[in-house]
Amino acid sequence: MNEKQQINLTLLHIAIGALLVFNHQWSKGYLFLIVLAGAYLVIKNKNSNNEVLYVIAYIAGSEVFFRATNGNPVHEFGKYSMLFFTFLGFYYSGFPKIKNPYWIYLVLLLPSVFLSFMYLDGNLRRKICFEILGPICMGFLALYTYKRKISAAQINMVLNLIALPILTSCIYLILKYPQNGHKIYSHNSNFYFSGNYAPNQMATVLGLGMFIYLLKIVIESDNRKILYPNIIIFCLIFHRGLLTFSRGGIVTGVIVALIFFLALYISRNGYYNLKRKVSLLLFAVISIFGLTSYQTDNSLFKRYADLEILESHKVTTRGRYIEIKSDIENFTEKPIIGTGPGISREVRKSNYGRDITTHNEITRLLSEHGVLGLLALLILIFFPLRFYYNDLRNFYLLPFFIFWVLTINHSATRTIAPLFLYALTLLQINFEKKEVGVDGK
C-alpha cells in the first residue's frame, strides 16, 4: 500500500465514522458490504495472496463498533464470520495436515463440551457457545496460519486493515459522544464515552488501534505527510481509550508497545535511529494522559492509580477476584476433565450468589477443561515462543503474543481481536530490508 492509498483510505474511514453519526443503523449496510466484498475478494483471487487474513483483519477491527451500533445480526457475528472465512481459506488453500498440532488443541477441548451437555438446561447451546466459540475459532484459524508463509508487506497490510475500522470507531465516538464540558467524577468504567457499550471491549480495540498506529509511526512513517497524521490519529485513539476508564485495553496497548521496541532491538542486534519518533510518541502519551486527567478532574489518574480499592477487603469482593478464586476451586475439585463449558458460571451462582461470566480465559480453561485445558494452554504458549526463538527477526511475533496473553486475562475471548493476533504469531514472515523501512536502515 503506497502513501497515496494510505491517505485516501484514512480519509474514507474518517468519513464513514462521521456519516454513521447521523444514523448508526446504516452500520448494518456497512457490515453487509464488508462481508460481501470480502467473500468476492477471496473467491475472485482464490485466496492466492491470503486474502482471508485481510478480510478477518477488517472484521476484527470493526467487530466492537458493529456491536455498539447494533450492526450485527447476532452478537457473535464476528466469530461466525471468522469461521466462515477460515473454512473458505481451507477450501482454496488446502485443508491442514493431520500433523498440525492445533488439531490436538481442538480435540482437547471436546471432552468437556460433551460433559456440559449432561448438566446444562434448555439454554444449553447459548451457554456452551458463549464460552467455547472463541477458543474453537482461534483453533481453526491457527490451523490455517500455522507455518504459512507471508511477506512483511502483507503483514503490514493486515495491520492496516485492523486499524482503519478502529479509526472509524474513534471518529464515531468523538462526534456521537462528545465531552461538551461533561465532567467525570466516578472511577468506574464509563459507558457513555464507550458509545453506550461495554467499556472493556471498546478499550480493548482502542488499545489495539493505538498500538498499530504506533507500529505505523515507527515502521511506515518515514515521510512527514504520513508521520504527523499517524501521530494525530494515535493521540485521538489514545485519548478516547482513556475516556472509557477501562484500564485493561489501554494498559495492554502500552505494555505491548514497550515489548515491540524490545523485540525490534533484538531483531536487529544494534542501535536504531528512532530518537525523534520515540520522543514524539513519549511527549504525546504524557500530554494526552495529563490533558485527559485534567478534563476528568483527576479522576483518570485515580482510576489508574487504583486509589479507591487499596483496602484488601474491597479487593476480595470484586467480581474478577471471585472469578479467579472460583475457577481455581473448580480445577482442584475436578482436575481431570473440569466442570465443562458454561458450568463454572453456574457454580459461581450457587457458591457466591453472583451471576458472573468469566473475564479470564486462562483460569476458565483450567476450570472448565481441567488438565486437558492445561495441555491445550501449553500448546498455545509453546509454538509461538518456539517460532520466536527460531527467528528473532520477527519483531511482530512477541508483541502479538503478549497482546493475546494480556487481553484474554481481562476480557477472555469476548472479541476476536486477540484470537486473530494469536493466529498471526504462527505465520512465517519473509523479511526484506526494503519492506521493513525502519529508521536507521
Side-chain angles (χ1 to χ4, degrees):
M1 186 187 301
N2 59 41
E3 292 178 358
K4 184 177 180 180
Q5 289 173 325
Q6 287 191 52
I7 293 171
N8 289 340
L9 284 173
T10 298
L11 293 175
L12 173 62
H13 283 80
I14 290 173
I16 292 173
L19 184 64
L20 290 172
V21 170
F22 295 101
N23 189 343
H24 70 260
Q25 292 299 320
W26 292 343
S27 65
K28 290 182 171 63
Y30 181 26
L31 177 60
F32 176 76
L33 287 175
I34 292 171
V35 176
L36 190 65
Y40 173 77
L41 181 68
V42 174
I43 294 170
K44 178 187 176 184
N45 297 300
K46 297 183 179 179
N47 199 41
S48 58
N49 295 306
N50 291 304
E51 284 83 4
V52 158
L53 295 180
Y54 296 161
V55 180
I56 298 176
Y58 199 90
I59 293 172
S62 57
E63 180 186 28
V64 176
F65 173 74
F66 287 122
R67 286 179 177 176
T69 57
N70 297 315
N72 285 328
V74 293
H75 182 73
E76 298 291 4
F77 185 78
K79 294 188 178 76
Y80 293 127
S81 299
M82 188 177 180
L83 275 178
F84 170 75
F85 283 103
T86 300
F87 277 92
L88 201 57
F90 290 154
Y91 177 77
Y92 286 110
S93 302
F95 215 67
K97 295 180 180 179
I98 194 65
K99 64 180 180 180
N100 190 311
Y102 286 88
W103 282 120
I104 300 174
Y105 162 78
L106 288 169
V107 169
L108 288 170
L109 300 178
L110 293 179
S112 297
V113 174
F114 294 133
L115 180 68
S116 288
F117 274 93
M118 299 168 56
Y119 293 101
L120 290 176
D121 56 23
N123 217 4
L124 177 70
R125 184 194 64 81
R126 184 187 64 81
K127 292 179 179 178
I128 293 180
C129 282
F130 182 82
E131 301 293 358
I132 203 67
L133 186 58
I136 292 292
C137 286
M138 186 178 71
F140 278 111
L141 188 58
L143 285 171
Y144 175 82
T145 58
Y146 181 74
K147 290 187 176 181
R148 183 169 294 273
K149 292 179 173 58
I150 191 171
S151 70
Q154 287 177 311
I155 198 70
N156 287 335
M157 174 66 80
V158 166
L159 293 175
N160 278 316
L161 290 170
I162 298 175
L164 286 169
I166 295 177
L167 172 60
T168 294
S169 304
C170 183
I171 297 301
Y172 174 83
L173 290 173
I174 291 171
L175 298 178
K176 184 74 173 179
Y177 301 93
Q179 286 187 266
N180 289 336
H182 178 71
K183 298 291 184 181
I184 301 175
Y185 300 99
S186 170
H187 300 155
N188 298 321
S189 297
N190 191 293
F191 279 80
Y192 172 80
F193 287 119
S194 303
N196 283 327
Y197 187 65
N200 182 269
Q201 294 182 33
M202 190 62 74
T204 294
V205 294
L206 291 174
L208 175 58
M210 180 184 75
F211 166 63
I212 294 176
Y213 273 96
L214 180 141
L215 283 179
K216 289 169 64 64
I217 290 167
V218 172
I219 294 174
E220 297 182 354
S221 303
D222 291 329
N223 189 319
R224 290 186 179 183
K225 292 180 180 179
I226 299 296
L227 174 62
Y228 292 116
N230 281 341
I231 290 177
I232 291 171
I233 293 172
F234 170 84
C235 291
L236 289 175
I237 294 176
F238 182 44
H239 177 254
R240 201 66 204 195
L242 289 173
L243 284 177
T244 66
F245 270 58
S246 183
R247 294 161 297 186
I250 303 305
V251 171
T252 295
V254 172
I255 292 175
V256 171
L258 296 175
I259 295 295
F260 162 69
F261 282 114
L262 174 63
L264 184 61
Y265 177 81
I266 293 172
S267 71
R268 298 299 184 84
N269 294 317
Y271 177 79
Y272 309 99
N273 184 24
L274 297 173
K275 287 185 178 180
R276 179 164 164 264
K277 290 179 179 179
V278 172
S279 298
L280 286 171
L281 285 167
L282 190 60
F283 176 77
V285 168
I286 294 173
S287 299
I288 295 299
F289 188 90
L291 173 64
T292 311
S293 187
Y294 172 77
Q295 290 175 325
T296 59
D297 285 346
N298 215 32
S299 293
L300 181 72
F301 176 79
K302 293 178 181 178
R303 171 66 169 168
Y304 277 81
D306 219 8
L307 298 179
E308 79 277 17
I309 61 163
L310 286 178
E311 298 177 42
S312 60
H313 76 275
K314 291 184 179 180
V315 174
T316 56
T317 59
R318 297 178 74 195
R320 302 292 176 89
Y321 175 85
I322 292 174
E323 286 176 32
I324 295 173
K325 181 181 178 183
S326 175
D327 284 342
I328 293 174
E329 290 172 351
N330 292 340
F331 178 68
T332 56
E333 291 175 7
K334 296 183 178 181
I336 305 301
I337 199 172
T339 62
I343 300 292
S344 60
R345 180 176 179 178
E346 303 300 316
V347 172
R348 275 191 291 273
K349 286 170 63 177
S350 175
N351 292 345
Y352 296 96
R354 299 176 67 177
D355 186 11
I356 306 172
T357 56
T358 185
H359 286 75
N360 191 310
E361 187 64 19
I362 292 176
T363 59
R364 189 202 69 80
L365 277 172
L366 298 177
S367 172
E368 299 187 349
H369 298 272
V371 172
L372 299 182
L374 177 60
L375 293 174
L377 183 62
L378 291 176
I379 290 174
L380 295 177
I381 294 172
F382 174 75
F383 285 99
L385 294 183
R386 191 187 77 171
F387 288 169
Y388 184 62
Y389 177 79
N390 291 336
D391 186 8
L392 295 177
R393 295 175 305 160
N394 187 354
F395 51 79
Y396 294 104
L397 192 156
L398 199 58
F400 291 172
F401 179 75
I402 298 299
F403 178 85
W404 169 74
V405 170
L406 295 178
T407 301
I408 65 171
N409 268 279
H410 72 80
S411 191
T413 58
R414 296 286 197 278
T415 65
I416 67 172
L419 313 181
F420 182 62
L421 259 67
Y422 175 85
L424 296 182
T425 67
L426 306 176
L427 294 168
Q428 292 186 340
I429 303 175
N430 178 28
F431 287 97
E432 296 179 10
K433 289 184 179 180
K434 63 180 181 180
E435 292 181 323
V436 176
V438 179
D439 286 358
K441 304 177 183 179

